[in-house]
Amino acid sequence: MENSAKGSELSKYSTLGKEIPQVNHRAKVMGRAQYAGDLKLPGMLHGAILRSPYAHARIVRIDASAARALPGVKAVLTGEDAPATPWGGGPIKERYVLAKGVVRFAGEEVAAVAALTEDIARDALDLIQVEYEELPALLTPEQALSEDAPTVHPERKNNIAHEIEFHRGDVEAGFASADLVFEATYRTSRQYPGYLEPMVSVASLESDDRLHVWTSTQTVFLARSRIAKALELPISSVRVIQQTTGGGFGGKIVEDDNQLVAGLLALHTRRPVRLLNNRLEDFLSCCTSVPEQITLKLGMTREGLVVAKDVHIVADCGAYSGLAGEVMHVSAMRSDNMQRNMNVRCHADLVYTNTPPHGAFRGFGGSQMLFALNSHIDAMARELGLDPAVIHERNAMEQGETTVHGWKIRSTGFKQCLVHATEAIDWANKRAAPRGTGVRRRGVGLAAAMHVCGNRTMGDWDGSTVMLALNDDGGITARSGECDMGQGAMTMITQIIANEFKVPLSVVRLLPPDTDSAPFALGTFASRVTMSAGNAAIRASHAARDKLFALAATLLQVAPGDLEMADGGGVQLRGSDKKLSLAELARAHVWRHGGEILQVSGTWDPDTEEPDEQLYGNCAPTHSFAAQAIEVEVDTETGQVTVLDSFLSDDLGRALNLTAVHGQANGGNVQAIGWALYEDLRVEDGRIVNGNFADYTMPTAESVPMLRGDFVESMDPVGPYGAKASSETAILMAAPAIANAVYDAVGVRIRDLPITPEKVLAGLQAKKEQQGAVNA
């Protein structure tokens, strides 16, 4: 494969590898950044949604006459007014913009109102009378999989939304050769993304008779496709513009109904409509992480080599499958590629229930399996008398090797991450120290992870395109369809272009994603943007450079090969003071016979492959690795677990912006600590009971220690300047590391997240009773 990763030599203006703020930081901190909720269009109406109070019910009758008669109400829509085409965030299209005939979860959209003010719209919701016939609800996968269970979707023969099976190598022979075989079951909880900005859209049927949607999103082009299909419109008649986005974490990809309802209201009223979720509505409508039950069986030699792996997963997708099938796919397969073991078997079922849908969340299924795998390795290491860090090191894939699923490991700093994490937390000494018998006891735990940097599984393309135009004053306007939701994608692309042109960041302006003007992009997920858009930015810059060199060679009457980019911008004759500025070249490129504005595009698509029918194939261009060591204190009287110290070492290839990658590492780490210790969106009788920030506990600055970490720069041969992803490995390890540390402290193994005080106390009591029985 052509290696576009190197780029040009760094100039004195380069910001690569330095600590810099994001290019849009001033707009955010000064309140000038425009979020979708800030937009005010002439004649704009305000939307509101009536949601089902039942987990499963037939809609017998809807009387909206009183709501329609309320002064200020401009539209009240029900399922009868909505398109007959079902939509879905994933490959299965089974959901309607507004429910038709039946509701399948508490919170499903039943009716929508557009009114002059938000207060009037919400008053109108109270006037809509809906008669429901409540139906039996399947609230757990166990209920849904029972032989006599009705189907959540009558057209399906059972409640299995998606099934994955694969078998590689000789698993039974592997177990037979093992010195230790261990099996256990783990359960993970629902986690809400917790972004600062709830989902919001403004939709308007503009003068061109096209639907324009300004929204908070991670992918404008996938949003456009979904809106067009769900509202039965040609794709060309829909325009999606990303506004400043206040966090996404997977929840703003393609699984939310907000954009669709806003668009439907705008089409019916022919006026702009703003639809903003309040926090409770966001809890009801945003997909949370997929809860999974994972039964894991590993075979290991006495030296700690994994020789066989057998996994059974039961995942709950809720009432609609969305992206949950792809999430389960990651749980089933990705962690296999960390280790050299070639004997793996998996059976995974995604199950419909009458609960709010689950789907994409940062880590995208990796967190669930890595909680199980890292907990399992720690338990087996203790049984074998080995250090779990040694087991990870002995099984680690090396650069140049191909994994059990056909993944090619092009770079890895995994072993260095293990060394950094364990040394930084004084692993050996703290593991050897006596635990004591006091009320508060300390322990340390370790976990490791891998993640993709792109993923060729949505279709035969995982690329990105960046377009550049040179302005009359030498400024550079760039366009990309990739979305920044706070992680720093806009800054990264700007850094690369500025470095290639050897100019300050201020010379480059990257426009927000807009489907009318940006090149097509898949968007921000699968940790793909640095890899794909970064390489595309390099290629676009090189294409512009070639045009600049050709023009400058004519003007200076020299050979193009004798030219180079000049510090500060422009082209100069190598070893001479002859130079033409970017402004001079920009004007010269236009003002000549046959001239035109200097504009180019660069596209980069990795040489990956779609997995085949057996799910085999090198689907990602490269992979990130990480390790994390954590120290906790457990109060044996209250069961409280406190994280005292954390050190996360991340192989990100190369750090392009130290401020951004530290922020990503710390943010992911904090989300994982929350998931480990207390975050769990609780559903009782099918209804969310803690759908607000008063009852849904998330970590604050006071609840985590000063987070420590570093980076391993493995200089990936594919990534831009050697860079890989740095956004998702950080969330994959804290939960198992904490679980392992709790066991190290008090000898209680928690396999059911979150690790609450009640579970710790129950484990301590069970341990005490077991010891009493043995002594008796």
Side-chain angles (χ1 to χ4, degrees), residues 185-200:
T185 297
Y186 303 83
R187 294 175 179 85
T188 65
S189 56
R190 307 166 176 89
Q191 187 175 17
Y192 171 69
Y195 36 58
L196 188 61
E197 175 207 29
M199 190 65 199
V200 57

Side-chain angles (χ1 to χ4, degrees), residues 20-197:
I20 63 166
Q22 294 193 14
V23 292
N24 54 358
H25 75 287
R26 288 180 62 85
K28 289 183 177 181
V29 300
M30 296 179 72
R32 294 176 180 173
Q34 272 220 328
Y35 296 81
D38 296 326
L39 293 180
K40 292 181 175 63
L41 301 181
M44 187 172 75
L45 303 175
H46 296 264
I49 296 175
L50 182 69
R51 300 176 183 276
S52 167
Y54 298 109
H56 193 201
R58 183 173 292 109
I59 300 172
V60 177
R61 181 179 63 89
I62 300 178
D63 183 356
S65 57
R68 292 190 175 103
L70 184 67
V73 170
K74 300 301 178 183
V76 180
L77 306 180
T78 69
E80 293 182 356
D81 307 298
T85 301
W87 69 276
I92 301 175
K93 312 302 179 186
E94 58 197 354
R95 187 173 175 181
Y96 295 98
V97 178
L98 295 173
K100 291 183 179 293
V102 65
V103 290
R104 293 183 172 86
F105 72 94
E108 185 163 4
E109 300 83 356
V110 173
V113 172
L116 294 178
T117 69
E118 188 172 354
D119 287 342
I120 295 174
R122 294 196 177 278
D123 287 343
L125 294 183
D126 295 334
L127 298 176
I128 302 174
Q129 297 182 2
V130 184
E131 181 183 343
Y132 293 99
E133 178 190 344
E134 194 169 0
L135 301 171
L138 302 171
L139 302 180
T140 67
E142 291 77 15
Q143 292 175 353
L145 292 174
S146 64
E147 289 186 6
D148 59 346
T151 54
V152 174
H153 296 273
E155 68 276 9
R156 301 185 69 93
K157 63 180 181 180
N158 57 37
N159 286 314
I160 296 177
H162 183 55
E163 187 174 10
I164 294 172
E165 283 191 277
F166 58 80
H167 187 168
R168 309 212 201 284
D170 192 334
V171 174
E172 296 306 329
F175 281 125
S177 70
D179 297 299
L180 174 64
V181 176
F182 179 58
E183 182 174 353
T185 297
Y186 303 83
R187 294 175 179 85
T188 65
S189 56
R190 307 166 176 89
Q191 187 175 17
Y192 171 69
Y195 36 58
L196 188 61
E197 175 207 29

Side-chain angles (χ1 to χ4, degrees), residues 505-523:
L505 287 179
S506 58
V507 173
V508 182
R509 180 169 178 259
L510 180 61
L511 301 181
D514 179 338
T515 56
D516 268 10
S517 57
F520 178 81
L522 292 174

